């Protein structure tokens, strides 16, 4: 079963949200207090997804706000050289800074991210900086949930969603829930449900859907999809870490994607690499079952490497892993 996209578009995917810096511990398998050196990469979930999908051959664009500093310029150059259209990046003129994410790798299972996101430029994107003529040129608009956490970025994203709907562009909502970005869970649930109900495809982990539904205990996938299918979504993807993922269609079908065996270095980056390859496969006309394999294989490759963005795999690497067929049974 496939998802249909508008074929006569210049861009396959335009992402909106943050493009930031990841500083990943070079000395790992220890607490960050003992890490003296970090490697710099472009980061931020929607930027990682745009980079991953461009590496797989999609034509990607980006809507976001960058700091007028060395980090902002590094991000723009890196993304442009990765083949992403960066013409709709706005450069902040009010002294806001680039978001930084320091990653701690204590062990392959124990990873955490220390975020510096006070007054970050990406959350100052305004509705006036979102351009209808740009969004109209894409098959897909990819929304990252964190961009809904503060105004004016929140309103900018809501405007982008309504422009996409007006122009018959598919809205993909990657929940990308980062609790520290939000005032409280009530607020998250309000904006997450507002955007999820208007989206065509929603992708998130079980925990993220619990945030969307404002639950304190783990919800059931069946209840989540029953709720979302009363609204716009035609496809809902729910990820369960190493236990794999499920894709549910409005027409009542369920598909399961199994995780692939790998030597895990760290766990972050899994979600972004999964989304980029899953969307690449769907937009390239592959069926949902195959798209789940692409997403899982891509994630399995990225968790074995040091970064999230730079480590995004090629189609050949993904297909080689799928062909090996060494899935994790849980
Ligand atoms: N340890 C692992 N080994 C192999 N594949 C994995 C592992 N962990 C996750 N994956 C793959 O990555 C996919 C997404 O992982 P997960 O559900 O943890 O998403 P996420 O929480 O969004 O990721 P992130 O840690 O980047 O926020 C899974 O469906 C699975 O296919
Ligand atoms: O999304 C972020 O802001 C940080 C990411 O770039 C980081 O690599 C990560 O968390 C990926 O899951």
């Amino acid at each position: 079963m496939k998802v249909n996209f508008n074929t006569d578009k210049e861009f396959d995917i335009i992402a909106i949200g943050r493009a930031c810096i990841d500083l990943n511990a070079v000395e790992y398998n220890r607490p960050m207090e003992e890490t003296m050196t970090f490697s710099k990469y472009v980061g931020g979930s929607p930027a990682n997804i745009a980079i991953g999908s461009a590496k797989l051959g999609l034509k990607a664009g980006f809507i976001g706000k960058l700091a007028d500093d060395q980090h902002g310029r590094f991000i723009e150059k890196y993304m442009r050289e990765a083949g992403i259209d960066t013409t709709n990046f706005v450069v902040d003129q009010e002294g806001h800074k680039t978001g930084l994410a320091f990653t701690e790798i204590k062990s392959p299972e124990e990873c955490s991210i220390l975020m510096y996101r006070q007054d970050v430029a990406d959350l100052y994107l305004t509705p006036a900086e979102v351009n209808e003529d740009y969004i109209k040129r894409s098959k897909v608009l990819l929304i990252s949930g964190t961009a809904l956490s503060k105004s004016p970025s929140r309103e900018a994203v809501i405007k982008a969603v309504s422009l996409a709907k007006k122009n018959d562009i598919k809205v993909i909502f990657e929940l990308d829930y980062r609790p520290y970005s939000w005032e409280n869970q009530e607020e998250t649930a309000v904006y997450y449900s507002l955007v999820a109900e208007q989206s065509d495809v929603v992708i998130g982990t079980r925990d993220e859907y619990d945030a969307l539904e404002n639950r304190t205990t783990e919800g059931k996938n069946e209840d989540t999809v029953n709720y979302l299918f009363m609204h716009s979504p035609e496809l809902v993807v729910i990820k369960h870490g190493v236990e794999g993922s499920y894709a549910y269609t409005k027409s009542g079908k369920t598909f399961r994607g199994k995780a692939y065996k790998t030597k895990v270095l760290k766990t972050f980056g899994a979600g972004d690499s999964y989304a980029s390859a899953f969307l690449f496969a769907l937009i390239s006309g592959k069926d949902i079952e195959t798209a789940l394999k692409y997403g899982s294989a891509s994630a399995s490759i990225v968790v074995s490497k040091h970064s999230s963005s730079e480590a995004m795999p090629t189609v050949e690497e993904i297909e080689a892993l799928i062909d090996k067929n060494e899935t994790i049974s849980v």
Side-chain angles (χ1 to χ4, degrees):
M1 205 178 157
K2 296 182 181 183
V3 174
N4 295 320
F5 297 91
N6 225 322
T7 45
D8 60 341
K9 297 284 180 182
E10 176 186 352
F11 289 99
D12 293 303
I13 182 166
I14 290 180
I16 182 167
R18 71 190 182 287
C20 302
I21 298 282
D22 281 355
L23 291 156
N24 291 3
V26 171
E27 303 95 21
Y28 45 86
N29 293 333
R30 67 189 69 179
M32 200 186 298
E33 288 84 339
E34 292 167 25
T35 299
M36 301 309 287
T37 44
F38 296 85
S39 284
K40 181 172 82 169
Y41 302 101
V42 171
S45 176
N48 290 337
I49 296 173
I51 292 166
S53 45
K55 193 155 172 185
L56 293 172
L58 292 188
K59 178 69 192 142
F62 206 88
I63 305 172
K65 186 167 257 185
L66 292 175
D68 187 13
D69 63 16
Q70 294 89 331
H71 292 315
R73 288 187 284 280
F74 165 76
I75 294 166
E76 191 280 328
K77 180 168 185 282
Y78 183 93
M79 289 179 67
R80 180 164 32 85
E81 289 176 353
I84 297 162
D85 177 79
T86 58
T87 55
N88 275 247
F89 264 126
V90 180
V91 177
D92 175 84
Q93 300 301 326
E94 294 167 338
H96 301 120
K97 296 293 173 228
T98 303
L100 304 178
F102 289 86
T103 58
E104 176 180 61
I105 310 170
K106 277 195 192 163
S107 72
E109 296 79 32
E110 259 190 302
C111 302
S112 66
I113 299 186
L114 178 61
M115 288 279 200
Y116 283 63
R117 290 194 50 77
Q118 196 68 32
D119 264 344
V120 282
D122 59 88
L123 291 174
Y124 284 90
L125 182 74
T126 67
E129 290 160 343
V130 173
N131 184 342
E132 179 169 6
D133 287 339
Y134 191 56
I135 290 176
K136 262 162 98 167
R137 289 158 65 192
S138 184
K139 292 178 186 150
V140 161
L141 175 73
L142 176 88
I143 308 291
S144 139
T146 297
L148 292 165
S149 64
K150 294 255 181 324
S151 296
S153 161
R154 172 183 291 164
E155 289 75 17
V157 168
I158 292 172
K159 176 180 171 186
V161 171
S162 50
L163 290 175
K165 290 194 78 80
K166 178 180 158 202
N167 289 287
D168 200 21
I169 311 302
K170 293 251 189 247
V171 176
I172 317 265
F173 186 22
E174 219 300 336
L175 299 180
D176 176 37
Y177 175 52
R178 312 277 167 157
Y180 41 76
S181 305
W182 290 86
E183 290 295 325
N184 55 61
Q185 206 173 313
E186 288 283 345
E187 191 188 47
T188 312
V190 167
Y191 289 100
Y192 268 30
S193 48
L194 181 82
V195 171
E197 288 172 13
Q198 295 188 66
S199 301
D200 298 287
V201 179
V202 186
I203 304 175
T205 61
R206 183 60 254 167
D207 293 359
E208 291 175 325
Y209 285 99
D210 293 337
L212 184 157
E213 294 167 38
N214 202 11
R215 289 177 188 278
T216 46
T217 54
E218 188 171 305
K220 291 201 176 85
N221 290 358
E222 195 191 345
D223 295 337
T224 300
V225 299
N226 286 341
Y227 150 61
L228 287 172
F229 289 149
M230 290 192 300
H231 302 276
S232 296
E234 57 184 292
L235 179 64
V236 174
V237 176
I238 307 185
K239 298 175 289 174
H240 293 263
V242 76
E243 290 171 33
S245 53
Y246 294 90
Y248 300 88
T249 69
K250 199 171 217 151
S251 59
K253 295 245 179 329
T254 302
F255 302 96
R256 179 166 184 205
K258 290 191 172 178
Y260 290 91
K261 285 183 189 155
T262 189
K263 190 169 169 5
V264 180
L265 189 153
K266 44 83 178 146
T267 53
F268 51 82
D272 300 340
S273 45
Y274 179 99
S276 57
F278 178 78
L279 293 175
F280 160 75
L282 276 192
I283 295 170
S284 314
K286 300 192 190 303
D287 58 36
I288 296 169
E289 217 168 351
T290 306
L292 287 169
K293 291 183 182 170
Y294 271 67
S296 309
S298 172
S300 153
I301 293 167
V302 167
V303 295
S304 74
K305 300 201 172 159
H306 193 245
S307 75
S308 298
S309 54
E310 183 79 21
M312 290 291 180
T314 59
V315 174
E316 292 70 31
E317 287 174 290
I318 290 176
E319 289 178 350
L321 191 61
I322 294 175
D323 288 345
K324 268 172 76 185
N325 200 22
E326 290 176 0
T327 54
I328 301 175
S329 303
V330 263

